[in-house]
Amino acid sequence: MKPYGIPRRDWLVGTGASLLTLAAPMKTSAAQPQAQQSSPAEDADRARRMQWWHEARFGMFIHWGLYSVLGRHEWVMENEGIPVADYEQLAKRFQPKPNAARAWAKLAKQAGQKYMVMTSKHHEGFCNFDTKLTNYCAPKQGPGRDLVHEYVEAARAEGLRFGFYYSLMDWHHPDGARCATNEDARKRFVEYTHGLIRELMTKYGKVDVLWYDVSWPLDARGWESERMNKMVFELQPDIIVNNRNALPGDFSTPEQEIVADKRGRAWESCMTLNESWGYHQADDAWKTPKIVVRNLVYCSHDAGNYLLNIGPKPDGSIPEESVRILTEVGRWTSRNAESIHTQDRCQPHRSNYAGFTRKGNTLYMHVYFWPGDTVALAGLKTGVKSARLLASGQQVKFQQDRFRVRFTGLPAEAPDHPVTTIAIECESEPVQDTDFVRRERPRNNV
């Protein structure tokens, strides 16, 4: 992933940054590969492979590697200009406790996350898995064992889907930079890269996601990305892949912002819990549980996924703030899961204190800032049949006219935390038109 302050795409950081993007028109990143025309058979196969992913909505990202030992961000090697020979010494100091990933998987399940994606190799070039292609890997260095294997077993034990993050960019390999200008180096490095990916696709049984990152310094032709993906799908016919090996892939990947793909493609917003992907001891810019829930709602509103990151400490333990935040989020998702795990795009979107998701004819109004005993929604053109507080099932009285619907008799204080959700059963697919209210609402003396 990119470091704070280093642009690869235009992106926003901080706890509220993603919320600001919602007021702007949808856009696509200039760095995204252009979608290619696919056949009906390819579309049908993609729909089959991605059905579980669309239903999941919420996943856990895990950034863990040698950078965790230093605890100064996952880009520390490049940001501080650490020589390769010096950085290599971290491989001996990286000695995590056995089966640390079990706690990750348990926390993910508790938080309502349905899948996990872990760094198999980050930009630093260190492989967290067993490989025959380099000694710069966990079994042959400090850990003394296959950390990816432990992660896979932990995810399976909790019934979670899992995937592998793999950075194409490599700051350690001798050909990692010169492959851009030397054809022999390119061929060697591409074969090395394809070989590592082949090992990931053959050593761990069924894999659900391959999450490429950073195609620098080559393009799709240089990486031989079509051949790369062909190999992946031959070995894992049910897998889904993202768009960061310079091909469109199965889904787009806005980073640190919530931006639905305007072409209608599947998309997943990946975000940090603070402002770092890897463990950063001094980074205290934590998102609140309310911000996490709001981001999850915003992603689900436009049928997108939310991949939320933790950066374990060098021993594999999860930072206390990450546990606290995700535990509270999990209490909310346990009561409100039906409003998130949905495949339906939602048209209503206008409120200054609420967000919306939809499943069929049910509109879920997620009230972030509780106004008191009455919650109102302007411009709902669809008739309301009934309403209830989602967490408790308590029925809610309502009054509806041409211009608004008012939900009345509610508690003065928010009945659920950090967000209260009202499930609104509509007569048909809910549609909102606040411009109609602005134009047609009666005005005095008119």
Side-chain angles (χ1 to χ4, degrees), residues 5-19:
I6 294 183
R8 185 174 70 240
R9 292 176 172 85
D10 292 335
W11 65 305
L12 300 172
V13 295
T15 56
S18 61
L19 308 180

Side-chain angles (χ1 to χ4, degrees), residues 52-204:
W52 72 266
W53 186 87
H54 283 297
E55 294 171 353
R57 286 284 174 256
F58 195 18
M60 174 182 281
F61 220 173
I62 304 105
H63 278 65
W64 194 43
L66 303 187
Y67 43 82
S68 306
V69 176
L70 295 180
R72 297 197 299 274
H73 201 286
E74 73 285 351
W75 277 65
V76 63
M77 182 181 182
E78 179 156 303
N79 284 347
E80 298 184 8
I82 302 174
V84 170
D86 293 349
Y87 196 86
E88 285 177 334
Q89 303 311 307
L90 297 175
K92 299 180 178 63
R93 294 169 53 190
F94 186 37
Q95 298 180 352
K97 60 186 179 182
N99 298 305
R102 290 177 181 174
W104 312 345
K106 290 181 183 297
L107 181 61
K109 186 173 183 177
Q110 182 183 7
Q113 294 166 314
K114 302 298 185 182
Y115 62 107
M116 305 170 72
V117 178
M118 174 193 170
T119 48
S120 63
K121 180 179 81 72
H122 202 258
H123 315 328
E124 64 183 9
F126 183 79
C127 297
N128 280 324
F129 59 97
D130 190 14
T131 173
K132 297 178 180 178
L133 301 179
T134 179
N135 290 329
Y136 202 51
C137 64
K140 300 170 187 175
Q141 298 291 335
R145 61 192 192 276
D146 188 331
L147 301 179
V148 165
H149 174 75
E150 293 183 356
Y151 152 74
V152 168
E153 291 302 305
R156 286 184 174 140
E158 298 300 326
L160 301 173
R161 302 270 187 161
F162 70 87
F164 301 140
Y165 165 109
Y166 182 92
S167 172
L168 297 169
M169 178 168 68
D170 192 317
W171 299 329
H172 177 266
H173 195 283
D175 292 324
R178 67 186 176 196
C179 63
T181 56
N182 182 297
E183 179 60 12
D184 289 338
R186 187 199 68 81
K187 289 179 179 178
R188 287 193 302 265
F189 190 52
V190 166
E191 288 311 305
Y192 173 74
T193 298
H194 285 220
L196 290 177
I197 293 173
R198 176 178 289 276
E199 288 180 326
L200 287 169
M201 296 297 103
T202 55
K203 294 170 65 71
Y204 303 100

